[in-house]
Amino acid sequence: MCAGPPPAAVAVGGALRGGGERGGGGPRMESSDLGGRQQGPIWHRKPGPAARRGVIVNIIHSVKGYHSKTIRFLNVAFDSSGDSLLAGDHQGNIYVFDLNGNRFNLVQRTMQACTALAFNLRRKTEFLVALADYSIKCFDTETKELVSWMRGHDSSVSSISVHGSGRYAITTSSDTAQLWDLDTFQRKRKLNVRQSVGIQKVFFLPLSNTILSCFKDNSVFAWEFDTLHCKYQLPTPVEGSALLYKVFAVTRDGRIFVAGGKSNQLHLWCLESRKLIRIIQMPSKVRAVRHLEFLPDSFDGGSNQVLGVLSQDNIMRFINIETCKLLFDIGSHEEGISTAAISPNGRYIASVMENGSLNLYSVQALTQEGNQPPPPTFKVVEDWSKCTSAANKLTMRVTSGRSERPWKSKGSKIQSRLLKMQVNTSLENKENELPGGLNKKRLRALLKGFGEYPAKYRMFVWRSLLQLPENHLAFSSLIDKGTHSAFVNIQNEYPIKSQKLLRVLQRTLSALAHWSAIFAETPCIPLLAFPFVKLFQNNQLICFEVVATVVVNLCQHWFEYFPNPPVNILSMMENVLAHHDKELLQHLIKYNVTSQVYAWPLLETLFSEVLTREEWLKVFDNIFSNHPSYFLMIVIAYIICSRAPLLHCNQIEDFEYFFHHRNNLDISVVIKEAYHLMETTPLDIHPQRVLDDFIPLTKGQYPVFNKYPKFIVDYQTQERERIRQDEIEYLRERQLAHELEAKAQERKAEDEAWYRKQELLREAEEQRRKMLLEEEEKLAEQRQRLAAVKRELKVKELQFLDASRRRFLKYQQDQRQMELKRLDDEIARKATMREQETAAALQDVEVQRMELESQRQVFEQVAEENLAKAEQKRIDANWRLRALHKLRGDDRDRKKRYEEIAKLLHDNRVKEAELLKAMREAEEKTWEEVIQKKAQLEEEQKAAAAADEHRKQFLEDKMNDALELAEKLQREDGYFERLRDLKAGRTGRGVELQQVPRSGNICLNDLPPSQSSSHMSLDRRGEDLALQERELMAEVRRLRQKLTSQARTRHPPARFTATKWTP
């Protein structure tokens, strides 16, 4: 017994009991989330051919963040080899999936949705993508660079068709089709049509140079590629079968053309004969066809026989266009398909799902023999001669039965073998003959040799062994009755994860309940039917008939003691167990373990709880190949083969657990032991004596099944109906009570809402009043703040005016002080010069005195020195001349210094005038700025205009007084000028004193009396001059102090009241 996880149909009954598919989920579908990755593996472990519904991997692209979302895929396309897949999503991300290398790679971000893709160009690494801006771009998958950008369409591009050589492409939109050269990426031709007609699709025919154009008015034209001349036009379909063509498909050899649209009919055209050769009518569930594509086959030579039809219900059905049989389908109502693409090698099907994910299917898994039952044995011969119209003669209906793909060589062999067997058949062989050309005796020999049937042909063998009638009409009538009331809420009792599996189980159980009322009352029917539902979930007819055949044959006499377990069958099995293993039976009896504990769980679940899928299939290979009593024998054999662990059990819970869970047991040993029991059991206790031989279901209509106590079932049915009615009445009353309560609650809520609304209105009114009061207070505060700001502005204005006036007065005082300082410096300089001149004059006088003294001495000695006298006179004369020259030079230098001083004074006065002018200009600018700023307050200053005018007049008077004072000061400056003139006059007189003629030898006796007196009083005059100068300086100081005191007395500092300037 396997210890690993079981395959598909394991622990079926346990799944139903435990509330899930415990151990019976089968191979799980691989799912891959691209997320934010740009490359990586597609799947971590590639599923085998037994993948669920043939899905290899489900690819999604989710973005995680604050708002997580899934990015939807829009289009897919295979390359020419069929091993690489190109997919684009609605955000413009283009991915390449390498199916052989198990890698994906993000090759481009176009930032806009793609509307069509093509990946079969001549350069294998390049692909075409049509974008939402109506342009077509060519990218390289290896370099991820843009190769070319093609524009020309005015509407969205719906399809891209590439020539077989890969050098040309046709892009189709609703209003035009354009032919492109993929070597130069230049447009060669453009097909324009009237807007009223419109284009459906334009594409290349395979293996030819023909372009096929399909228009919205159902016209189909064929064009020569080289010359673009019209080769032919397909004729209008026969009357009564016309449909608006929307989608198209062509076989790989380019001979068969299929068209479909808003109908369940498909038109098959032969392009060689240009005739409508067949009209295929899809099932009634199909109301419109959205996509058509042929499934390639490596052995059909391009004449594809399998056509994929995607209909409006998002299910893609694959049919054989020759036999018109439905082979398989993909997608469902819950997991619908939006669009699909089939690989050129016929190995994969890529489908974009309605939820935006991408499914990759394995064609091998979808077309394997396990999913394809043999052709139905029941056929209906129709009288086509009664159909008068040509359309009816061409029409073939797609039946719901499924057939194998044609194998002509094997078919011929089987036919010849059957003919040979029919010649030498005997009565016994006829009894062993089975439908489909099989022989029961040979199958048993095969089963005995290998222990099981080949997995590939097991379903076909089972159908032949069970001789299923395939009553389509009878089964449809049972299904049409809808879900039985007993199984409406089956999901509450059996919460199966798969909605499809739950739906199939519900339909199968409902059909059984409609067939016989006992199955609606028997609790073990879901456990018994679930393994077969899970095994035949893709074919509900076969599933129902297999379950019905099992119930009719393997469950004989089960319902005679209803609602109790089949006590007769369990007693018979206990007798067989007592005969073959009395010790084990005694052990079971010792611990009160009845047959309802050790046998009934295995019977009602058909071993699905204790066996794996392979073991279960092997067991039922033997059960279906033998007498129905073998089923009971294999249960006894399972118990006998488990005697060792059972003998060690001593608790009833241990026994119950043992028969509801898998055990370490070799099923081949159990099967051999069952055969041994079949052969060694005495006939008096052998179940074969009680059970009838295998009886298949009748054809046309199912047999009546009434082997149960009808009165009990009817009573239970009536009781259930009564309980159901009571429940309905109770639910109705409860609903009414709930409605009344809801109305009361609603009325109460309305009242509360009204009172709450009134309270809210009152609170809102109070709040509004408070808000009004607050606003009024805020307004008053704002007014107060505004008045305070106004007062502050006025105070600042007065302060500014006062500061300006003070600066002006200070400037005037500084000017006066500078002028006085300049006068003081000038007087000090002149006094210094006068002192220097006086000192020089005194020195000269002293020298002259000394000279006179020396001359007097010389004159006294003149008599003694006559010769020295003349020389002395000459020396004196020369000395006087040099002294005179020196005095004159000093006078010239002094005059130059006086001129430089006058020039400096003049320059200072000019600079002072310029400085005063600049200050006045700055003051004027300041006043202008003040006047401009105060112009904004003109309206508020109107009230104080009169007072301001009075203050302005007062200020003007004060300014006039200041100007008069300045003029007076200037007049006083004239007095200083007169003082300077007087001083200059005195200096001139002092110079004249120095310019005494000194020619010749002078002696005191030679000078006149006046000159002699002046020379004698020279010292005294110097002292007088110094005294006068000191008196003059004292007088100047007193005059300055007097002028300053007068100015302070006449012009006291003005104290201005609060006022404002107005322009």
Side-chain angles (χ1 to χ4, degrees):
M1 181 173 180
C2 267
V10 227
V12 182
L16 291 173
R17 289 181 184 273
E21 296 181 74
R22 176 169 56 87
R28 297 181 60 188
M29 178 178 63
E30 185 78 7
S31 180
S32 177
D33 187 359
L34 304 183
R37 298 179 297 165
Q38 295 189 4
Q39 59 182 358
I42 305 174
W43 53 75
H44 297 285
R45 183 171 65 181
K46 184 177 181 181
R52 186 178 72 85
R53 296 289 294 158
V55 179
I56 297 177
V57 64
N58 172 256
I59 302 171
I60 61 175
H61 184 193
S62 63
V63 177
K64 296 182 179 180
Y66 185 76
H67 294 291
S68 299
K69 62 178 181 179
T70 300
I71 302 176
R72 298 175 56 86
F73 285 98
L74 297 180
N75 289 282
V76 291
F78 283 92
D79 66 347
S80 55
S81 66
D83 294 327
S84 292
L85 174 67
L86 193 71
D89 59 28
H90 78 279
Q91 287 192 355
N93 300 314
I94 308 296
Y95 292 89
V96 171
F97 298 89
D98 184 4
L99 304 181
N100 284 340
N102 186 26
R103 300 290 297 175
F104 77 89
N105 190 15
L106 176 63
V107 295
Q108 197 56 236
R109 296 180 186 269
T110 62
M111 307 309 294
Q112 52 183 323
C114 63
T115 58
L117 292 171
F119 198 23
N120 52 346
L121 278 62
R122 184 168 63 89
R123 291 177 287 273
K124 304 302 181 184
T125 60
E126 294 180 359
F127 65 93
L128 296 177
V129 54
L131 302 175
D133 62 353
Y134 314 147
S135 66
I136 303 100
K137 292 184 179 180
C138 180
F139 294 99
D140 193 295
T141 58
E142 292 184 352
T143 63
K144 300 182 181 180
E145 294 180 353
L146 176 65
V147 179
S148 181
W149 192 350
M150 298 173 285
R151 291 182 176 273
H153 285 278
D154 296 327
S155 58
S156 178
V157 176
S158 58
S159 67
I160 302 176
S161 175
V162 181
H163 190 262
S165 63
R167 296 184 56 188
Y168 303 97
I170 295 178
T171 56
T172 307
S173 60
S174 60
D175 55 350
T176 183
Q178 301 185 14
L179 176 63
W180 303 87
D181 188 344
L182 297 182
D183 288 337
T184 62
F185 296 99
Q186 298 294 323
R187 184 174 64 191
K188 294 188 64 177
R189 293 294 181 90
K190 181 178 181 181
L191 175 63
N192 292 318
V193 296
R194 296 192 305 271
Q195 188 175 3
S196 59
V197 177
I199 299 176
Q200 290 287 7
K201 190 175 182 181
V202 179
F203 55 96
F204 289 101
L205 286 181
L207 305 179
S208 68
N209 284 334
T210 303
I211 299 175
L212 212 62
S213 61
C214 308
F215 301 96
K216 293 183 179 180
D217 60 352
N218 265 24
S219 60
V220 179
F221 291 85
W223 310 82
E224 185 65 34
F225 170 69
D226 297 329
T227 61
L228 292 180
H229 290 161
C230 182
K231 295 176 63 175
Y232 57 86
Q233 177 185 2
L234 294 182
T236 305
V238 292
E239 187 176 357
S241 63
L243 62 95
L244 293 178
Y245 292 164
K246 296 288 185 181
V247 289
F248 314 91
V250 180
T251 57
R252 195 168 58 172
D253 58 4
R255 294 181 179 179
I256 302 298
F257 170 73
V258 183
K262 284 192 175 182
S263 171
N264 66 342
Q265 292 183 353
L266 301 176
H267 286 189
L268 268 68
W269 293 84
C270 177
L271 296 181
E272 293 180 348
S273 62
R274 304 167 194 171
K275 293 182 180 179
L276 181 65
I277 59 175
R278 185 170 303 160
I279 298 177
I280 300 177
Q281 184 174 356
M282 298 295 293
S284 58
K285 296 179 181 179
V286 178
R287 297 189 300 273
V289 179
R290 294 170 49 190
H291 182 69
L292 293 172
E293 192 165 359
F294 279 98
L295 178 64
D297 194 335
S298 303
F299 304 99
D300 59 8
S303 59
N304 310 125
Q305 302 295 318
V306 180
L307 176 65
V309 182
L310 178 61
S311 56
Q312 88 290 338
D313 57 359
N314 302 325
I315 298 176
M316 194 168 186
R317 300 171 174 86
F318 289 82
I319 64 172
N320 190 307
I321 60 175
E322 292 295 330
T323 62
C324 294
K325 298 297 182 181
L326 179 62
L327 304 179
F328 60 90
D329 57 35
I330 58 176
S332 62
H333 296 289
E334 293 79 13
E335 300 177 356
I337 296 176
S338 176
T339 184
I342 302 176
S343 62
N345 56 16
R347 296 174 56 190
Y348 304 104
I349 301 174
S351 65
V352 178
M353 312 305 289
E354 286 292 323
N355 59 9
S357 64
L358 183 64
N359 273 8
L360 186 65
Y361 294 88
S362 170
V363 177
Q364 178 186 0
L366 291 171
T367 58
Q368 63 181 349
E369 296 296 333
N371 289 339
Q372 292 186 356
T377 56
F378 179 76
K379 299 182 182 293
V380 178
V381 179
E382 297 181 3
D383 187 6
W384 289 96
S385 60
K386 297 181 181 179
C387 302
T388 57
S389 65
N392 291 335
K393 292 181 180 179
L394 294 174
T395 303
M396 296 183 65
R397 298 179 182 272
V398 176
T399 60
S400 60
R402 306 190 178 193
S403 64
E404 291 182 284
R405 302 179 72 176
W407 296 86
K408 296 182 179 180
S409 58
K410 290 186 178 181
S412 60
K413 289 181 181 179
I414 292 174
Q415 186 177 3
S416 62
R417 189 183 301 123
L418 288 176
L419 291 175
K420 185 177 180 180
M421 289 173 60
Q422 288 177 359
V423 176
N424 299 320
T425 54
S426 61
L427 182 61
E428 181 180 359
N429 289 336
K430 287 183 179 179
E431 292 178 356
N432 290 327
E433 288 180 3
L434 296 174
L438 300 181
N439 186 277
K440 192 172 184 179
K441 187 175 182 181
R442 292 184 179 182
L443 289 176
R444 287 178 180 174
L446 178 66
L447 183 63
K448 186 176 181 180
F450 295 95
E452 59 179 335
Y453 294 125
K456 185 175 182 180
Y457 300 101
R458 176 177 281 121
M459 299 300 109
F460 172 63
V461 172
W462 282 16
R463 290 177 60 181
S464 299
L465 289 172
L466 299 178
Q467 303 178 31
L468 303 180
E470 298 187 16
N471 298 327
H472 294 278
L473 297 177
F475 178 71
S476 299
S477 64
L478 293 176
I479 292 296
D480 293 341
K481 292 181 180 180
T483 303
H484 196 275
S485 59
F487 304 109
V488 171
N489 298 320
I490 190 174
Q491 67 275 4
N492 297 332
E493 188 175 358
Y494 305 109
I496 303 174
K497 294 181 180 179
S498 174
Q499 293 297 320
K500 178 182 178 182
L501 192 61
L502 179 63
R503 189 168 57 252
V504 174
L505 176 64
Q506 189 178 44
R507 291 178 181 175
T508 303
L509 296 178
S510 298
L512 289 171
H514 291 310
W515 175 41
S516 180
I518 184 64
F519 299 127
E521 308 298 331
T522 307
C524 66
I525 286 298
L527 304 176
L528 184 144
F530 186 73
F532 300 102
V533 169
K534 197 165 188 179
L535 197 61
F536 297 98
Q537 57 181 314
N538 294 327
N539 194 330
Q540 298 181 30
L541 171 64
I542 301 301
C543 177
F544 170 78
E545 293 187 349
V546 169
V547 175
T549 304
V550 168
V551 170
V552 170
N553 292 278
L554 301 184
C555 302
Q556 298 181 38
H557 308 290
W558 279 27
F559 309 102
E560 295 177 357
Y561 292 91
F562 180 81
N564 300 314
V567 180
N568 50 348
I569 300 298
L570 297 177
S571 300
M572 184 167 48
M573 294 175 64
E574 188 172 349
N575 293 334
V576 175
L577 179 61
H579 176 76
H580 291 282
D581 198 336
K582 191 171 184 179
E583 180 185 359
L584 179 59
L585 180 61
Q586 291 297 329
H587 178 74
L588 296 175
I589 294 173
K590 178 181 177 181
Y591 293 102
N592 296 323
V593 179
T594 64
S595 57
Q596 296 186 18
V597 176
Y598 63 80
W600 179 237
L602 302 178
L603 291 175
E604 67 177 350
T605 61
L606 301 182
F607 291 95
S608 61
E609 283 186 336
V610 297
L611 299 180
T612 64
R613 174 187 171 88
E614 287 77 10
E615 293 173 346
W616 189 87
L617 294 174
K618 185 184 291 187
V619 166
F620 271 84
D621 284 344
N622 292 272
I623 291 175
F624 289 154
S625 301
N626 290 279
H627 191 273
S629 60
Y630 182 82
F631 176 49
L632 304 180
M633 288 300 186
I634 203 168
V635 174
I636 300 172
Y638 184 87
I639 298 171
I640 292 175
C641 292
S642 304
R643 69 188 312 274
L646 290 176
L647 290 175
H648 287 83
C649 295
N650 53 16
Q651 297 291 334
I652 187 67
E653 293 81 6
D654 297 339
F655 290 102
E656 292 177 353
Y657 181 88
F658 184 87
F659 290 104
H660 284 285
H661 296 80
R662 298 178 195 167
N663 304 290
N664 188 13
L665 192 65
D666 188 357
I667 198 63
S668 300
V669 176
V670 176
I671 293 173
K672 291 180 181 179
E673 180 65 21
Y675 279 112
H676 175 71
L677 295 178
M678 286 286 290
E679 296 174 356
T680 59
T681 302
L683 293 177
D684 55 342
I685 61 173
H686 201 291
Q688 191 172 359
R689 181 177 61 87
V690 178
L691 302 180
D692 298 332
D693 293 337
F694 178 81
I695 302 174
L697 299 178
T698 58
K699 296 183 179 180
Q701 294 292 334
Y702 296 114
V704 176
F705 189 85
N706 55 2
K707 297 178 181 179
Y708 58 88
K710 191 173 184 301
F711 67 95
I712 296 178
V713 175
D714 293 343
Y715 174 75
Q716 287 195 352
T717 304
Q718 293 174 2
E719 284 297 312
R720 177 179 285 104
E721 183 65 22
R722 183 183 61 79
I723 293 172
R724 190 175 67 85
Q725 294 296 334
D726 292 343
E727 288 179 352
I728 293 174
E729 182 65 21
Y730 168 73
L731 292 175
R732 189 183 64 80
E733 292 179 356
R734 189 175 67 175
Q735 181 67 22
L736 183 60
H738 285 329
E739 290 177 357
L740 293 175
E741 184 179 1
K743 289 182 179 179
Q745 293 292 337
E746 184 179 359
R747 189 177 297 107
K748 182 179 179 181
E750 289 178 355
D751 294 341
E752 292 179 355
W754 186 84
Y755 285 115
R756 194 181 302 110
K757 186 176 181 180
Q758 295 298 323
E759 184 68 20
L760 291 175
L761 290 175
R762 187 184 62 77
E763 293 177 356
E765 184 178 359
E766 292 294 331
Q767 187 176 4
R768 297 300 186 278
R769 290 179 180 176
K770 291 180 181 179
M771 289 174 63
L772 287 175
L773 293 175
E774 292 176 357
E775 290 297 329
E776 290 179 356
E777 293 177 357
K778 290 180 180 179
L779 184 59
E781 292 178 359
Q782 289 179 357
R783 288 176 179 173
Q784 292 177 1
R785 286 198 296 270
L786 183 59
V789 169
K790 289 180 180 180
R791 288 193 298 271
E792 186 177 357
L793 287 175
K794 289 180 180 180
V795 171
K796 287 183 179 180
E797 181 180 1
L798 293 175
Q799 291 176 355
F800 178 75
L801 293 174
D802 188 23
S804 299
R805 184 183 60 78
R806 289 179 182 277
R807 283 198 301 272
F808 179 71
L809 293 177
K810 185 179 180 182
Y811 170 73
Q812 288 182 344
Q813 290 177 2
D814 293 340
Q815 288 294 106
R816 300 291 190 281
Q817 290 177 1
M818 289 175 63
E819 185 67 24
L820 292 174
K821 186 177 181 181
R822 189 164 54 251
L823 292 174
D824 290 340
D825 293 340
E826 183 69 20
I827 293 171
R829 187 181 60 79
K830 290 183 178 182
T832 303
M833 289 177 63
R834 186 177 293 109
E835 289 176 357
Q836 292 176 357
E837 291 174 356
T838 303
L842 290 175
Q843 290 177 1
D844 291 341
V845 170
E846 184 65 26
V847 171
Q848 289 177 4
R849 187 183 64 78
M850 293 174 64
E851 288 177 355
L852 291 174
E853 185 65 27
S854 63
Q855 288 176 5
R856 185 178 63 77
Q857 290 176 3
V858 171
F859 286 150
E860 290 176 355
Q861 296 174 4
V862 70
E864 298 174 358
E865 298 176 359
N866 292 328
L867 295 173
K869 187 176 180 179
E871 184 66 24
Q872 184 66 34
K873 289 181 179 180
R874 185 181 61 84
I875 292 171
D876 292 337
N878 290 335
W879 181 83
R880 287 190 183 95
L881 287 172
R882 285 195 299 272
L884 182 61
H885 286 263
K886 183 178 179 181
L887 290 172
R888 290 178 180 176
D890 293 337
D891 291 338
R892 286 194 298 270
D893 293 338
R894 192 178 293 108
K895 185 177 182 181
K896 290 180 181 179
R897 287 196 292 272
Y898 288 166
E899 291 175 356
E900 291 176 357
I901 291 171
K903 185 177 180 181
L904 290 174
L905 289 173
H906 178 73
D907 294 340
N908 289 336
R909 289 179 180 177
V910 171
K911 290 180 180 180
E912 289 174 0
E914 292 177 356
L915 180 60
L916 181 60
K917 183 178 179 181
M919 293 183 67
R920 287 177 179 174
E921 290 178 355
E923 185 177 6
E924 289 175 0
K925 290 182 180 179
T926 305
W927 284 114
E928 289 176 0
E929 292 177 358
V930 171
I931 290 170
Q932 290 176 0
K933 291 181 180 179
K934 301 307 177 290
Q936 300 174 359
L937 304 174
E938 183 177 2
E939 294 181 358
E940 298 178 2
Q941 296 171 349
K942 289 180 180 181
D948 292 340
E949 187 67 26
H950 176 71
R951 294 188 185 96
K952 185 175 180 182
Q953 186 64 35
F954 175 76
L955 290 176
E956 287 178 357
D957 295 339
K958 293 296 182 178
M959 292 300 293
N960 292 332
D961 295 339
L963 291 175
E964 290 176 0
L965 177 61
E967 290 176 358
K968 185 175 181 180
L969 291 175
Q970 288 179 0
R971 287 194 299 271
E972 292 175 354
D973 289 340
Y975 175 71
F976 283 102
E977 293 295 334
R978 288 193 298 273
L979 289 177
R980 283 195 294 270
D981 294 341
L982 177 59
K983 188 175 182 181
R986 290 173 183 264
T987 304
R989 287 193 299 272
V991 173
E992 290 177 357
L993 290 174
Q994 294 177 3
Q995 295 177 356
V996 179
R998 297 178 182 177
S999 61
N1001 294 324
I1002 303 174
C1003 66
L1004 296 174
N1005 297 326
D1006 295 336
L1007 292 173
S1010 60
Q1011 291 183 358
S1012 178
S1013 63
S1014 65
H1015 280 287
M1016 295 299 290
S1017 62
L1018 182 60
D1019 294 332
R1020 184 174 56 82
R1021 290 183 179 179
E1023 294 175 0
D1024 295 338
L1025 181 62
L1027 181 60
Q1028 291 177 2
E1029 186 174 3
R1030 285 194 294 272
E1031 292 176 355
L1032 179 62
M1033 294 300 296
E1035 186 179 359
V1036 170
R1037 291 190 186 94
R1038 286 195 301 272
L1039 181 60
R1040 290 178 59 189
Q1041 292 175 0
K1042 183 178 180 181
L1043 291 174
T1044 303
S1045 61
Q1046 289 179 358
R1048 290 178 180 175
T1049 304
R1050 293 180 181 178
H1051 305 285
R1055 299 184 179 276
F1056 301 102
T1057 58
T1059 181
K1060 293 184 179 180
W1061 287 95
T1062 57

